[in-house]
Amino acid sequence: MIEGVKFYGSPLQPRQPKERPMAFGRRRGAELKEEWAKIPADVDVLLTHTPPATILDVSPYTGKPIGCEELLKALTKKAPAVHVFGHVHNGYGSLAKPKTLFINASTAVERRGAQGTINPPVSFWVQKKADRKGSSAGMLITAAAP
């Protein structure tokens, strides 16, 4: 919690094929569903390594989405104001949905930073709004996202 804004982060991602081992991999389906259930219901800013399925997650190799289906399901229930992730480098950018601003902040343009090409940093500003009585009521989001 920072100045009334609740953050939650996770390095988890769907397990990759054996020829591409990566840290923090979990099996798609029940194993990831159990992990994403740990996201607090009142989270304001969610930080994950992996994107949710179908959101800024198209593989440059297959042309298909490779994000996490279980994460997408969890987000429809939890609806953080902002979800920041990476992993799929060519998905760099942002997408505003009615309840959540999704930001793929992948640094490297090429796979694992090949050829030294990097994306510009992404910044966003988020603040709890107060109602007339002084209690928190919703989020005010200003994003300088790509």
Side-chain angles (χ1 to χ4, degrees):
M1 186 77 75
I2 301 171
E3 295 189 19
V5 178
K6 189 171 192 172
F7 292 80
Y8 182 84
S10 174
L12 300 180
Q13 64 180 339
R15 185 171 285 154
Q16 299 296 314
K18 289 180 182 177
E19 63 273 7
R20 290 189 56 221
M22 298 180 98
F24 307 108
R26 300 291 186 273
R27 280 188 226 104
R28 290 184 183 268
E31 195 171 337
L32 279 165
K33 181 178 182 177
E34 182 179 324
E35 293 293 340
W36 301 133
K38 297 174 186 175
I39 298 170
D42 59 345
V43 66
D44 297 312
V45 178
L46 177 64
L47 307 163
T48 63
H49 179 79
T50 192
T54 70
I55 298 179
L56 304 170
D57 72 329
V58 174
S59 167
Y61 309 108
T62 66
K64 296 179 182 177
I66 58 172
C68 182
E69 298 86 358
E70 293 301 333
L71 179 55
L72 181 64
K73 290 175 189 175
L75 292 176
T76 59
K77 297 174 188 168
K78 306 196 186 218
V82 181
H83 179 202
V84 181
F85 51 88
H87 186 57
V88 181
H89 301 205
N90 66 305
Y92 174 82
S94 64
L95 177 64
K97 295 274 190 169
K99 294 182 181 180
T100 303
L101 172 63
F102 294 93
I103 301 172
N104 181 329
S106 291
T107 303
V109 173
E110 300 293 328
R111 185 172 182 215
R112 295 190 176 107
Q115 301 162 11
T117 53
I118 60 170
N119 289 314
V122 176
S123 64
F124 66 95
W125 181 74
V126 61
Q127 176 184 4
K128 287 275 190 180
K129 292 189 291 185
D131 64 16
R132 290 182 205 143
K133 297 176 187 174
S135 66
S136 293
M139 299 296 291
L140 175 63
I141 304 168
T142 302

